[in-house]
Amino acid sequence: MLIGLLVLGIACTSVVVGLSARPAGAAGTGSGPGPGTVASLAFSPAPVAPTGSLAPGQAVDVTLTALDPSGAPVNDGLVYLSLTSTAAAAGTASVGGTALTSSPEPFTTSQNGLVAIAYAAADPQCSSGGVCIPAAFPTAGADEIQASTAPPSGSGAGASASPTTAQDAYSYAPAGPAPGPDRYSFSPDPLAGPGSLQAGQSVSVVLTVTRASGAPEPQAAVFVSVATTSGGATPQVTSTQCAQGQLGSAPTDCTTDANGHLALDYSVPSPGPGSTLPTTGQDAITVQNQAGTPTESATDVYEYGAASYHLSSTPMAPTGSLGSNQSETLSVTVVGPDGVAVPDCPVYLVLAAAKDQAPAGSAVATGATPSPQNPTGAPGLGPSPEPFDTDTNGVILVTYSTPAGTPSSGMDVLVAQNRATNPDVGVFDPYSFSSPEFSFSPDPLAPGAYLHPGQSVTTTLSVTASAPGVYLSFDPAPGGGSASVAGVALGPAPSPFTPGPDGRLSLTYQAPASLPKSGTDRIVVQDAASGPAAAASDTYSFSPGPAAGTGSGPGPGYWLVAADGGVFSFGGAGFFGSTGAIHLAAPVVGMAAAPDGGGYWLVASDGGVFSFGDARFFGSTGAIHLAAPIVGMAATPDGGGYWLAGADGSVYAFGDAPARGGANGTGLAAPVDGIAPTATGLGYWLVASDGGVFSFGDAAWYGSTGGEHLNAPVLGLAPTANAAGYRLVARDGGVFAFGNAAFDGSEGGERLNSPVVGMATT
């Protein structure tokens, strides 16, 4: 009966198809070369495997080829095979289910002169008749498969005069020192940058098992477990190469693939409604060589606490200090929530410019890693976030270079952030070819000693030159208030913030619950965390009068304006021009001063607006059909806008002036003649010709002449510097003071070429 051998590799056994051998004496069935003299024998592979490379019980398919003197395969050739070992625990070998032993057994080559041999390295755990006996895997010695054309001596068979022989062996240890333990490495490690993952986000992880020689270990048995942080939902860690697909706190047995790899998938938990991810603690994936009392292990972690990024210098260089093709090298250091630098931490780097422009300069960084946008892992930075890994010290080095011809304006900015999209941790480092410009509105935050305990004021920071980010800090007086941006409190150390697309950023200042008697709270903006090239501040003084640090400006005084646009200056008020010599389409009916006292606006009854000094033009109603003529105007505290008031009580807003309502449609006893803003720009007063006063927004009412007999109608109102009072002015130049407003004189009783039509204070 023919005995065929088909060796199929299942699990740890490779596949050999179409090779068969028969014990001696069985008839051949092939149509290949006929029987002949065996001149040579060759094993493949030889050696069976590299020294020390096989795991316990690991199988290798070996073939023996018999050739005649011409090199042709010998069909039905007779060979004798045996297996000997010098190792403490021997491996096994068999042909067609017949085990090889130290005694040579005859086998006949199959078609094509082949004999298929199934070899397996020693498996000392189960090496004695199927009974598992703990024993050490051999670290010395070798298994040897021997082939010969001659029968063993004493067998009675005819011996060949000069037998052909061959040997194939597997050595359990190299000639030098015994191999060391397996080595474990994770990629990525850590799983992700601290605090960089969002709820439900996944990371593909690969564990590589290598031998001491550095070669990967296929089919290696390892045990993997997951330890999770307290107070948070449980993450998902899965693998198709483990006995249980979902890994937990108990070590689960897993097996590496043919390349020594174990693929894992880690997913951050997705908290339910009303819950959030932990802000402290870590998840840890641990691999070890035994389920209990391991001697080798490694761990890959994810920290929930956010990392902080630190720049070695900011700005990259002082404004305008770099010439053409000059370079500056700086470092980005990532520090974990434990205060220790994080090695191999992914950081996303960008080189950008303000206003969606392309950066003028260029930059390269260490630690570039391949990405869809950067498949080769090139070190160059661009406008799209690309991943870079910190070195063993948690550092990435960045070299910035200016272009061949440096521009006269603009700014390049290095951005480091924890995610490619929707980052919540990051820093930026600018280089300015020219300095940005900052302004606050209102400035000061409010007149001195104006705010009530706990009262809040919103101020707007405007960046008038290219600057994609700013640094803000708060310097309070002893017992002073607080300041914040979108709920994030400002402190004494400059912190980075990004203005909106319009270059503006809204801040909130809140006075303390118990007001001090003196001192100044100060919000500071600058273009760099240290050594800024540009800075500005907005202040609130707890002492009466103008806030400290806002400049001396002109002294106390005021202007009067006539219907022909003639302007009259009193006290410290300066003269900046008028329309007295210009033919106007409609008479001037109002006036408003620029916040710094360095200019003013005039408004005509048709809504035409005329700007003088440093006052800017923001629009008018000169070309609009009005229900009632314009009778007055008022400017916002920052000078970035103004209101025009109609005789029917309507209010028209321009620039950054907010609309807070009007008195039109309320049945006025007398027409409105003027308008004036509050110190915060969040409200205003309207005044009627009978001296009636109407308050809107945060404007307070301090009195009026509405019930008094006047020699001439009232036509304007001007508040005091701290908005705790106001003055009314009549057409004959008479002035009426209310609240804390002082009387400094008037034109009442004087002969005027034209009637007075407005009033403003310095």
Side-chain angles (χ1 to χ4, degrees):
M1 177 179 180
L2 295 179
I3 301 176
L5 172 65
L6 180 63
V7 181
L8 295 178
I10 301 176
C12 298
T13 306
S14 301
V15 178
V16 179
V17 179
L19 305 180
S20 61
R22 303 179 305 281
T29 60
S31 59
T37 302
V38 177
S40 64
L41 297 170
F43 282 100
S44 178
V48 173
T51 299
S53 64
L54 298 182
Q58 187 172 346
V60 178
D61 293 315
V62 180
T63 57
L64 174 68
T65 302
L67 302 174
D68 65 14
S70 67
V74 177
N75 187 26
D76 291 328
L78 184 65
V79 294
Y80 293 84
L81 299 176
S82 61
L83 174 69
T84 60
S85 180
T86 58
T92 62
S94 62
V95 176
T98 302
L100 303 186
T101 67
S102 59
S103 298
E105 294 291 337
F107 293 88
T108 302
T109 60
S110 66
Q111 186 179 7
N112 297 322
L114 303 177
V115 177
I117 304 168
Y119 170 81
D123 188 0
Q125 296 295 322
C126 299
S127 59
S128 178
V131 178
C132 294
I133 301 174
F137 187 67
T139 57
D143 295 333
E144 184 175 274
I145 303 172
Q146 300 161 340
S148 175
T149 57
S153 60
S155 64
S160 172
S162 55
T164 300
T165 61
Q167 296 82 33
D168 201 2
Y170 173 68
S171 297
Y172 287 96
D182 288 341
R183 298 173 181 174
Y184 304 138
S185 60
F186 285 98
S187 178
D189 182 11
L191 294 166
S196 64
L197 299 181
Q198 297 174 297
Q201 188 172 349
S202 297
V203 177
S204 295
V205 186
V206 175
L207 166 68
T208 301
V209 181
T210 57
R211 301 184 178 91
S213 63
E217 182 166 354
Q219 314 303 324
V222 294
F223 295 85
V224 182
S225 60
V226 180
T228 61
T229 187
S230 60
T234 303
Q236 300 289 313
V237 181
T238 58
S239 176
T240 59
Q241 298 172 236
C242 298
Q244 297 177 356
Q246 174 67 48
L247 304 181
S249 58
T252 299
D253 55 316
C254 307
T255 305
T256 62
D257 63 15
N259 298 311
H261 294 159
L262 177 65
L264 302 160
D265 187 76
Y266 168 82
S267 297
V268 175
S270 296
S275 301
T276 59
L277 289 174
T279 56
T280 60
Q282 66 178 20
D283 292 338
I285 301 175
T286 299
V287 59
Q288 55 198 54
N289 62 342
Q290 299 179 42
T293 62
T295 58
E296 296 296 327
S297 64
T299 300
D300 202 0
V301 301
Y302 173 67
E303 295 276 357
Y304 283 97
S308 57
Y309 294 176
H310 302 267
L311 298 166
S312 60
S313 62
T314 178
M316 290 190 275
T319 297
S321 63
L322 300 180
S324 297
N325 293 320
Q326 279 193 273
S327 297
E328 194 75 20
T329 299
L330 60 141
S331 64
V332 180
T333 303
V334 180
V335 177
D338 56 0
V340 178
V342 183
D344 300 318
C345 181
V347 178
Y348 290 85
L349 298 180
V350 177
L351 182 66
K355 310 293 185 186
D356 297 324
Q357 298 174 357
S362 59
V364 295
T366 59
T369 59
S371 69
Q373 294 79 21
N374 184 16
T376 61
L381 276 62
S384 298
E386 294 295 341
F388 292 77
D389 285 346
T390 58
D391 62 16
T392 56
N393 297 312
V395 174
I396 295 174
L397 295 178
V398 181
T399 299
Y400 169 78
S401 301
T402 56
T406 56
S408 59
S409 63
M411 174 186 294
D412 285 346
V413 181
L414 168 69
V415 181
Q417 57 195 47
N418 65 340
R419 300 182 190 129
T421 59
N422 301 318
D424 55 10
V425 175
V427 292
F428 55 85
D429 203 0
Y431 175 68
S432 298
F433 299 101
S434 63
S435 300
E437 299 174 4
F438 305 125
S439 63
F440 287 97
S441 174
D443 181 11
L445 292 161
Y450 176 80
L451 299 179
H452 302 296
Q455 186 175 353
S456 296
V457 175
T458 299
T459 184
T460 300
L461 169 66
S462 296
V463 183
T464 57
S466 58
V470 296
Y471 285 83
L472 292 170
S473 59
F474 182 63
D475 180 19
S482 60
S484 61
V485 177
V488 178
L490 301 183
S495 298
F497 292 90
T498 303
D502 59 355
R504 296 185 177 186
L505 188 66
S506 180
L507 301 90
T508 300
Y509 169 79
Q510 185 173 25
S514 178
L515 299 175
K517 300 296 184 182
S518 61
T520 300
D521 287 347
R522 190 182 306 273
I523 299 173
V524 178
V525 59
Q526 52 198 60
D527 65 342
S530 60
S537 64
D538 203 359
T539 59
Y540 176 69
S541 174
F542 295 101
S543 302
T550 58
S552 58
Y558 44 82
W559 298 271
L560 300 181
V561 61
D564 62 355
V567 175
F568 305 91
S569 303
F570 294 89
F575 179 79
F576 300 101
S578 73
T579 61
I582 300 174
H583 175 71
L584 302 176
V588 170
V589 293
M591 180 181 195
D596 61 357
Y600 41 73
W601 294 269
L602 307 182
V603 62
S605 62
D606 63 354
V609 175
F610 307 91
S611 303
F612 297 93
D614 60 5
R616 296 170 57 196
F617 178 79
F618 296 102
S620 73
T621 62
I624 301 174
H625 175 71
L626 303 174
I630 297 299
V631 294
M633 78 178 301
T636 57
D638 65 348
Y642 42 72
W643 299 269
L644 306 184
D648 60 353
S650 57
V651 176
Y652 305 90
F654 296 90
D656 63 3
R660 300 300 185 192
N664 50 321
T666 61
L668 298 173
V672 167
D673 265 342
I675 183 173
T678 63
T680 63
L682 301 178
Y684 40 79
W685 295 270
L686 296 179
V687 60
S689 61
D690 61 355
V693 175
F694 306 89
S695 302
F696 298 89
D698 63 353
W701 191 83
Y702 296 105
S704 73
T705 61
E708 299 181 19
H709 174 72
L710 303 176
N711 292 331
V714 169
L715 48 85
L717 179 151
T720 58
N722 64 0
Y726 44 71
R727 299 177 181 90
L728 308 184
V729 62
R731 283 185 178 273
D732 61 355
V735 175
F736 307 90
F738 297 90
N740 71 346
F743 179 77
D744 294 317
S746 75
E747 289 294 304
E750 298 291 334
R751 178 179 173 83
L752 303 176
N753 292 331
S754 297
V756 170
V757 294
M759 179 183 189
T761 61
T762 59

